Amino acid sequence: MAEQDLFRDAVYEIVALIPSGRATSYGAIAAAAGCPHMPRMVGRLMSLSARFSDDLPAHRVVNSQGVLSGRGAFGPGDEMKDLLEAEGVAVENNRIKNWKTVFWNPLNEL
DNA sequence: GGCGTGACTATGG
DNA sequence: ACCATAGCCACGC
């Protein structure tokens, strides 16, 4: 039982808890999972999980600036942007507007 | 086991 | 606002 497996499970669970109309950052998830120094692994797990599981709302996970850095993993177009807007998140130029307000801190729920 | 790459972040010019 | 640098970790060749 490796710690990275626990980390993956924690990340999966946290992302699944993100409420509709909100979004969070890789660093926040990593911190909530107990590893604030692994934002890259979060992104890697997202890219892998996003393809295997549709249950994981990876479109609600963006970088610290509220930029949809992972839109490429969803499809050839701006599918991620469309998904976010469909949930009530305003997106402009691949960036979430009112990011400060849309940001959902997992630590606040945990 | 080394090297390059990547859905990251923070700092600095 | 844009680019460069440094740190971190996992995966594929």
Side-chain angles (χ1 to χ4, degrees), chain A residues 3 6-7 10-11 14 27-38 42 107 110:
Chain A
E3 293 184 11
L6 295 175
F7 179 72
V11 171
I14 292 166
I29 293 172
C35 299
H37 293 283
M38 296 191 216
V42 177
L107 297 175
L110 299 174

Side-chain angles (χ1 to χ4, degrees), chain A residues 26-90:
Chain A
Y26 303 95
I29 293 172
C35 299
H37 293 283
M38 296 191 216
R40 298 198 96 125
M41 187 187 155
V42 177
R44 184 160 280 281
L45 291 175
M46 291 298 95
S47 63
L48 296 175
S49 299
R51 292 184 170 192
F52 287 90
S53 178
D54 295 343
D55 298 319
L56 189 65
H59 57 273
R60 296 180 188 154
V61 184
V62 296
N63 67 2
S64 62
Q65 299 177 32
V67 181
L68 285 55
S69 47
R71 59 183 170 71
F74 284 85
D78 296 329
E79 189 173 326
M80 188 173 183
K81 175 178 179 288
D82 193 40
L83 286 168
L84 286 170
E85 290 188 319
E87 296 189 348
V89 179

Side-chain angles (χ1 to χ4, degrees), chain A residues 5-32:
Chain A
D5 292 333
L6 295 175
F7 179 72
R8 188 188 79 84
D9 189 47
V11 171
Y12 189 93
E13 190 171 350
I14 292 166
V15 175
L17 289 173
I18 301 174
S20 180
R22 297 262 202 245
T24 189
S25 65
Y26 303 95
I29 293 172

